[in-house]
Amino acid sequence: MQHNFRAISLSHKNAPVQIREVISLDEGSIHALLIKLKDFFSLTDTLILSTCNRTEVYYSHELDLSTEIIKLIGLEKGISNVVDYLEYFNIINHDRDSIQHLFKVSMGLEAQVVGDMQISNQVKRAYQMSADLDLAGPFLHRLMHTVFFSSKRVVQETAFKDGAASVSYAAVELIEELTSNTYQPRVLLIGVGEIGEDVAKNMVNIPDAKVTISNRTFEKAKSLADELGYDAIPFEQCMDAMNDADVVVSSIMKSEPFITKSFVKSLDIPSYKLFVDLSVPRSIETTIEDVPGVMLYNVDNIRSKASETLERRLAAVPEVERIIEEAIEEFFNWKKGMMVSPTINKLKNALEQIRQEEMERFLKNADSGQVAMIDRITKSMMQKVLKVPVVQLRAACLRDDADQMINIISDLFDLEKISEKKE
């Protein structure tokens, strides 16, 4: 039996950053939650995606388990009052709507900056984790490969993925605008995870900036800095380096703010100091804005200014939506085919059982040559008998009449009785 594919979504569209950072799941939490979902509800086709902009759970089940799953998220995060956050979740219980939502998220249509390139890799990692835990059945495998194939089509056939318009690039555009009157602005990048690395690479768009990179693993910072022609410093020195920096970009994972108001008050700020917080949970206290000369931007209030890249992407949205609809239609045709596969297999097994019984009954005294010839003849006859009902079943799928045709063929060939006899 195929169950409804459902989705639970908390995103930047319906939840501010202070809510998203509370619900946000790291890899360890996702792993633990997937195991709980498997053990508690015997789920198979399950995917959990958690980024700075969204935390989403996709699953297949006959029942709406959204409240139970949200409570499990609260349990995993140590949130006793997680039910108070229910209003921020979008619950999608219709098959096609959930699948369409996953496509749009994966393509970057639902991103804070339209066409965000990072989401594709994040979706792939989420799928890999599900596959590693045996939480991806034939349905999810086929769905995800359809998503990835469609993503390639978007790259090849549209301008939607051209250029760089991710949150990271939006941050660089903001830095460029706010430092336009500063000669060789000094930029300190703290943390070179996926977002931090992307910021570093996009900083080449501000060629006169003096960029310094710091990371908990110094070797990673040094390798990236050498590749891009920047400086690198040990993580222990980044607090001192903030004193000289005009811009501080933080994208580190930490449960509590890393840069506090009391620390910022101790810094020398002759004119201005810009802080950009790309972390979720946030790594910079929001109250640092009370310090004279300090400007703070986070993932919610960073907006990419009107640019040719973004305009091209927005213009390509209808093409992307067309590709998504074509892919969903193709996927649903496969899904419908999956619905009749058990009946087709039962019919094949039933006819093969009859063939084998009749062969055994009438060929007891036949030689090997006669047996081989009759075997070929009866197999050919069986294939011809099968052809019409199989074609009719598949045609019924496309007409959404599969249930009726399954019942007719099951009754006509008495498939349930034959199956019970075989067992």
Side-chain angles (χ1 to χ4, degrees), residues 36 45 101 125-126 178 184-185 193 224 234 255 277-278 289 371-372 378 389 411 413-414 417:
K36 286 185 176 73
D45 295 306
H101 181 72
R125 285 201 297 271
L178 296 180
Q184 294 186 336
L224 184 61
S255 56
D277 190 352
L278 299 180
E289 286 187 297
V371 170
T378 52
D411 290 343
F413 290 92
D414 208 3
K417 184 176 179 181

Side-chain angles (χ1 to χ4, degrees), residues 9-15 17 20 24 50-56 110-113 116 119 122 167 280 299-300:
S9 172
L10 181 142
S11 75
H12 65 96
K13 289 195 170 184
N14 51 0
V17 66
R20 300 200 308 274
S24 177
S50 191
T51 71
C52 60
N53 283 328
R54 66 185 64 252
T55 295
E56 298 184 330
E110 297 289 316
Q112 198 168 39
V113 176
D116 194 330
I119 190 66
Q122 291 164 337
V167 169
V280 176
V299 290
D300 268 1

